[in-house]
Amino acid sequence: MKNRSREERMEFLRSLGLADLHRHFDGAVRPETLWGLSQKYYSAIPGLDFEEFRAKLTYNPKTDRTLLDYLDKFHIPLQYTQFYDNIQSLATEIAEDAYAEGIRTLELRINPVIHRRAGLTTRQVISAVRKGMRETIRAHPDFRAGIVAIAMRSHGGNMAKILLREVIGELDRFHNDLGVVGFDIAGPERPFPPVLFIEPFKLAETMGLRKTVHAGEDEGPARVWDAVEMLGPERLGHAVSAAEDPKLLKRIAADGIAIEVCLTSNVQTGAIPRIEDHPLPKFLDAGVRCALSTDNPTVSGTNLLQEYLLAIDAFGLSESDVRALARMATEASFVGREGRG
Ligand SMILES: [Zn+2]
């Protein structure tokens, strides 16, 4: 890819029909829309202009250092994502933005529980996201999308089970498909290890949901082992620390588990010091399938094209490397027929 200009690289990437398997609803909302909503609800901070407002939504390397600093950026969107119409229109915009980036397969993940403060039910939250994304699916027949339901680690295993029952209890796959394709746990790893979530993941499997787990972002390889052995995921989110244990990488490769790799986010949360330090090449050498993803485009100030460009530069990827990466991501997606809306 060395001889290609940035524009040529972007055109090449767009031609591949990319897949983003790890994108959080709350971390992907348009700042302009939130700004408008903050005016509508009279909750704008007096004297704050749009650029200052936007700065509050985006990671700042000068002041933000840790996973908790990073997670703090999600508080502002939450004020406005408690209402059906807002969730729906934000989801349409997220899907439209993804399509414009060249993404043809999008998995959008959301924890419905934190969007129920104004009285919405879990079903309504999911339905709003689905309805929003369906507009984009209708407008672009080559676009596929699905939802990954997230349980917050900090809410514990029992709440995760309750959430699953709510999601699945309302989801009639044959008559009223809501497009939920997978289940995940997210939030601070250290106090809430995989062992707490054995039962919810069993339940998710019984209910026909595919399984992915945030692991090894803020914890060592021992907890990634736990996630693999106790929860039986098909994919892992981040799994950066897995690179410290060659036996673990072998196991991940042997089980065909794909790793959702989010380069910019991993630097910002302190999982790696610089993008060049990311174990992506190590993962690939070990035969692990990898899916470059964005995590949180708004919070991280990135998009999927940007993430591929960063990978190309940091690791000197060739055209065939990039093709292989894009194919791996699409193949590892949970979105199938049900993603067609
Ligand atoms: Zn994530």
Side-chain angles (χ1 to χ4, degrees):
M1 299 289 286
K2 271 191 192 133
N3 302 325
R4 295 198 189 213
S5 70
R6 186 183 162 86
E7 282 312 311
E8 286 168 344
R9 288 176 179 190
M10 299 225 304
E11 204 182 307
F12 168 68
L13 287 166
R14 282 207 180 90
S15 76
L16 298 177
L18 303 173
D20 190 348
L21 308 188
H22 192 134
R23 180 172 293 210
H24 291 262
F25 173 82
D26 311 80
V29 290
R30 283 185 195 163
E32 294 79 3
T33 306
L34 285 187
W35 174 248
L37 290 170
S38 81
Q39 314 286 320
K40 180 176 164 190
Y41 293 104
Y42 307 105
S43 61
I45 301 168
L48 201 77
D49 67 23
F50 172 63
E51 283 311 320
E52 291 163 328
F53 178 80
R54 184 207 288 270
K56 286 185 175 296
L57 301 170
T58 309
Y59 176 89
N60 179 347
K62 288 199 183 107
T63 52
D64 303 320
R65 294 256 184 280
T66 66
L67 180 59
L68 289 181
D69 289 334
Y70 188 88
L71 295 176
D72 204 37
K73 305 295 167 194
F74 297 89
H75 290 146
I76 291 180
L78 266 187
Q79 294 190 59
Y80 312 112
T81 53
Q82 306 298 330
F83 309 102
Y84 194 100
D85 289 355
N86 294 352
I87 296 172
Q88 181 183 333
S89 56
L90 286 164
T92 303
E93 291 178 358
I94 291 169
E96 283 295 337
D97 290 346
Y99 190 82
E101 281 162 46
I103 292 169
R104 295 296 173 266
T105 305
L106 176 68
E107 288 184 28
L108 191 61
R109 47 187 84 193
I110 184 166
N111 168 26
V113 175
I114 58 176
H115 302 279
R116 299 190 319 202
R117 307 238 168 93
L120 291 181
T121 63
T122 292
R123 179 200 168 95
Q124 286 170 326
V125 173
I126 289 173
S127 155
V129 175
R130 186 64 187 145
K131 216 168 164 187
M133 292 206 298
R134 268 199 182 144
E135 298 208 8
T136 307
I137 292 170
R138 280 205 191 102
H140 310 286
D142 56 342
F143 183 69
R144 309 186 304 162
I147 299 167
V148 174
I150 299 179
M152 297 308 291
R153 299 179 106 101
S154 55
H155 294 172
N158 200 37
M159 285 292 281
K161 276 165 74 178
I162 293 169
L163 169 70
L164 271 167
R165 290 196 190 284
E166 283 178 327
V167 168
I168 303 298
E170 297 292 350
L171 188 152
D172 182 332
R173 288 179 163 264
F174 300 102
H175 301 293
N176 187 17
D177 172 27
L178 290 180
V180 178
V181 293
F183 178 63
D184 177 29
I185 49 172
E189 276 185 83
R190 287 177 188 262
F192 308 102
V195 67
L196 299 173
F197 301 96
I198 292 174
E199 288 294 316
F201 273 86
K202 263 191 207 155
L203 188 61
E205 188 170 332
T206 308
M207 290 171 159
L209 290 183
R210 317 278 296 270
K211 299 181 291 182
T212 179
V213 185
H214 277 78
E217 182 182 19
D218 191 34
E219 264 285 22
R223 293 291 87 77
V224 184
W225 269 114
D226 288 350
V228 168
E229 297 202 315
M230 296 175 175
L231 310 180
E234 291 176 66
R235 301 199 316 240
L236 292 165
H238 307 301
V240 176
S241 67
E244 296 165 27
D245 184 342
K247 271 193 189 149
L248 174 57
L249 282 190
K250 237 181 172 173
R251 169 68 185 271
I252 291 172
D255 284 5
I257 297 170
I259 296 181
E260 300 149 8
V261 170
C262 309
L263 299 173
T264 301
S265 162
N266 288 161
V267 174
Q268 292 173 345
T269 61
I272 48 166
R274 303 169 312 157
I275 285 178
E276 294 77 8
D277 302 311
H278 196 282
L280 173 67
K282 229 176 177 175
F283 290 163
L284 295 171
D285 285 348
V288 174
R289 300 191 298 154
C290 292
L292 279 186
S293 300
T294 52
D295 210 8
N296 298 290
T298 304
V299 175
S300 288
T302 192
N303 62 41
L304 193 58
L305 289 176
Q306 175 73 10
E307 294 297 298
Y308 270 87
L309 292 173
L310 289 169
I312 290 166
D313 280 339
F315 309 115
L317 301 180
S318 68
E319 194 176 305
S320 66
D321 293 335
V322 175
R323 269 186 208 284
L325 267 178
R327 194 169 49 240
M328 276 188 261
T330 302
E331 286 173 359
S333 174
F334 297 158
V335 181
R337 186 190 55 79
E338 67 271 49
R340 303 296 304 183

